[in-house]
Amino acid sequence: MLLARSHAETGMRSLGAIRSNPDLSALETAAEWDVQATQAEVRRWETEDMLTNLRADHARVEVADQVAASRA
């Protein structure tokens, strides 16, 4: 996830540099697409991390329920 965030930050800086230089204006559309793609990758990693945490929490609850049921 850190790498994806780093790529997104680099893309934003590149886009800013492209926008500030009229000679590079032809690259702006491609740079915008790149920024959008890297931001989507960050969101994907964040979502996967959240789902991993939810699955782990669910597994802990299931184990605790099984332990409680076996003791009863």
Side-chain angles (χ1 to χ4, degrees):
M1 185 173 354
L2 291 175
L3 183 59
R5 285 181 178 157
S6 176
H7 285 161
E9 290 171 12
T10 301
M12 289 297 292
R13 284 194 301 272
S14 295
L15 179 58
I18 288 168
R19 286 180 173 161
S20 67
N21 186 339
D23 295 332
L24 300 175
S25 64
L27 300 174
E28 186 173 349
T29 302
E32 287 173 346
W33 279 74
D34 186 49
V35 166
Q36 290 175 5
T38 56
Q39 289 172 340
E41 184 70 8
V42 169
R43 287 189 301 272
R44 184 183 72 82
W45 279 102
E46 290 171 343
T47 301
E48 284 187 17
D49 188 46
M50 180 185 64
L51 289 173
T52 298
N53 291 335
L54 288 172
R55 287 183 189 113
D57 290 344
H58 180 72
R60 282 190 286 277
V61 168
E62 281 187 345
V63 168
D65 288 347
Q66 290 173 358
V67 168
S70 68
R71 287 185 180 169

